[in-house]
Coordinates of all heavy atoms in Angstrom, one line a residue:
Chain A
L109 N -90.3 13.6 -2.1 CA -90.8 13.9 -3.4 C -90.0 13.0 -4.4 O -90.7 12.3 -5.3 CB -90.5 15.3 -3.8 CG -91.1 15.9 -5.1 CD1 -92.6 16.1 -5.0 CD2 -90.4 17.2 -5.5
V110 N -88.7 12.9 -4.3 CA -87.9 12.3 -5.3 C -87.7 10.8 -5.0 O -87.6 9.9 -5.9 CB -86.5 12.9 -5.4 CG1 -85.6 12.3 -6.5 CG2 -86.7 14.4 -5.7
L111 N -87.7 10.4 -3.7 CA -87.4 9.0 -3.4 C -88.6 8.5 -2.5 O -88.4 8.1 -1.4 CB -86.1 8.9 -2.6 CG -84.9 9.5 -3.2 CD1 -83.7 9.6 -2.2 CD2 -84.4 8.6 -4.4
P112 N -89.8 8.5 -3.1 CA -91.0 8.0 -2.3 C -90.8 6.6 -1.9 O -91.4 6.2 -0.9 CB -92.2 8.2 -3.3 CG -91.6 8.2 -4.6 CD -90.2 8.8 -4.5
Q113 N -90.0 5.8 -2.6 CA -89.9 4.4 -2.2 C -89.0 4.2 -0.9 O -89.1 3.1 -0.3 CB -89.3 3.5 -3.4 CG -87.8 3.7 -3.6 CD -87.5 5.0 -4.4 OE1 -88.3 5.9 -4.5 NE2 -86.3 5.1 -5.0
H114 N -88.2 5.2 -0.5 CA -87.4 5.1 0.7 C -88.3 5.4 1.9 O -89.4 6.0 1.8 CB -86.3 6.1 0.7 CG -85.1 5.6 -0.2 ND1 -85.2 5.4 -1.5 CD2 -83.9 5.3 0.1 CE1 -84.1 5.0 -2.0 NE2 -83.2 4.9 -1.0
S115 N -87.8 4.9 3.1 CA -88.5 5.1 4.3 C -88.5 6.6 4.7 O -87.6 7.3 4.3 CB -87.9 4.3 5.4 OG -86.6 4.8 5.7
P116 N -89.4 7.0 5.6 CA -89.4 8.4 6.1 C -88.1 8.7 6.9 O -87.7 9.8 6.9 CB -90.6 8.5 7.0 CG -91.4 7.3 6.8 CD -90.6 6.3 6.0
Y117 N -87.5 7.6 7.4 CA -86.3 7.8 8.1 C -85.2 8.3 7.2 O -84.4 9.2 7.6 CB -85.8 6.5 8.8 CG -86.7 5.9 9.8 CD1 -87.4 4.7 9.6 CD2 -87.0 6.6 11.0 CE1 -88.3 4.2 10.5 CE2 -87.9 6.1 11.9 CZ -88.5 4.9 11.7 OH -89.4 4.4 12.6
A118 N -85.2 7.8 6.0 CA -84.2 8.2 5.0 C -84.4 9.7 4.7 O -83.5 10.5 4.6 CB -84.2 7.4 3.7
H119 N -85.7 10.1 4.5 CA -86.0 11.5 4.2 C -85.6 12.4 5.3 O -85.0 13.5 5.1 CB -87.5 11.6 4.0 CG -88.1 10.7 2.9 ND1 -89.4 10.2 2.9 CD2 -87.4 10.1 1.9 CE1 -89.5 9.4 1.8 NE2 -88.4 9.3 1.2
A120 N -85.8 11.9 6.6 CA -85.4 12.7 7.7 C -83.9 12.9 7.7 O -83.4 14.0 8.0 CB -85.9 12.1 9.0
F121 N -83.2 11.8 7.4 CA -81.7 11.9 7.4 C -81.2 12.9 6.4 O -80.3 13.6 6.6 CB -81.1 10.5 7.2 CG -79.9 10.3 7.9 CD1 -79.9 9.7 9.2 CD2 -78.7 10.8 7.4 CE1 -78.7 9.6 9.9 CE2 -77.5 10.7 8.1 CZ -77.5 10.1 9.4
L122 N -81.9 12.8 5.2 CA -81.5 13.8 4.1 C -81.7 15.2 4.6 O -80.9 16.1 4.4 CB -82.4 13.5 2.9 CG -81.9 13.6 1.6 CD1 -80.5 13.0 1.4 CD2 -82.8 13.1 0.5
G123 N -82.8 15.4 5.3 CA -83.1 16.8 5.9 C -81.9 17.1 6.9 O -81.4 18.2 6.9
A124 N -81.5 16.1 7.7 CA -80.5 16.4 8.7 C -79.1 16.8 8.0 O -78.4 17.7 8.5 CB -80.3 15.2 9.6
T125 N -78.8 16.2 6.9 CA -77.6 16.6 6.2 C -77.6 18.0 5.7 O -76.5 18.6 5.5 CB -77.2 15.7 5.0 OG1 -78.3 15.9 4.0 CG2 -77.1 14.2 5.3
L126 N -78.8 18.6 5.6 CA -78.8 20.0 5.1 C -78.7 21.0 6.2 O -78.6 22.2 6.0 CB -80.1 20.2 4.3 CG -80.3 19.5 3.0 CD1 -81.5 20.0 2.3 CD2 -79.1 19.5 2.2
T127 N -78.7 20.6 7.5 CA -78.8 21.5 8.6 C -77.5 22.2 8.9 O -77.5 23.5 9.1 CB -79.4 20.9 9.8 OG1 -78.5 19.8 10.2 CG2 -80.8 20.3 9.6
A128 N -76.5 21.5 9.1 CA -75.3 22.1 9.7 C -74.6 23.0 8.7 O -74.5 22.8 7.5 CB -74.3 21.0 10.1
T129 N -74.1 24.1 9.3 CA -73.3 25.1 8.5 C -71.8 24.8 8.7 O -71.4 24.7 9.8 CB -73.6 26.5 8.9 OG1 -75.0 26.7 8.9 CG2 -72.9 27.5 8.1
S130 N -71.1 24.8 7.6 CA -69.6 24.6 7.7 C -69.0 26.0 7.5 O -69.1 26.6 6.4 CB -69.1 23.7 6.6 OG -67.7 23.8 6.4
V131 N -68.4 26.5 8.5 CA -68.2 28.0 8.5 C -66.8 28.3 8.0 O -66.5 29.5 7.8 CB -68.4 28.5 10.0 CG1 -67.1 28.2 10.8 CG2 -68.7 30.0 10.0
G132 N -66.0 27.3 7.7 CA -64.6 27.6 7.2 C -64.6 28.5 6.0 O -63.9 29.5 5.9
I133 N -65.4 28.2 5.0 CA -65.4 28.9 3.7 C -65.8 30.4 4.0 O -65.1 31.3 3.5 CB -66.4 28.3 2.7 CG1 -66.0 26.9 2.3 CG2 -66.6 29.2 1.5 CD1 -64.9 26.8 1.3
T134 N -66.9 30.5 4.7 CA -67.4 31.9 4.9 C -66.4 32.7 5.7 O -66.1 33.9 5.4 CB -68.8 31.8 5.7 OG1 -69.7 31.1 4.9 CG2 -69.3 33.2 6.0

Side-chain angles (χ1 to χ4, degrees):
Chain A
L109 189 76
V110 181
L111 303 167
Q113 74 280 20
H114 281 65
S115 69
Y117 298 116
H119 305 153
F121 213 93
L122 216 47
T125 62
L126 294 193
T127 57
T129 306
S130 166
V131 80
I133 296 280
T134 300

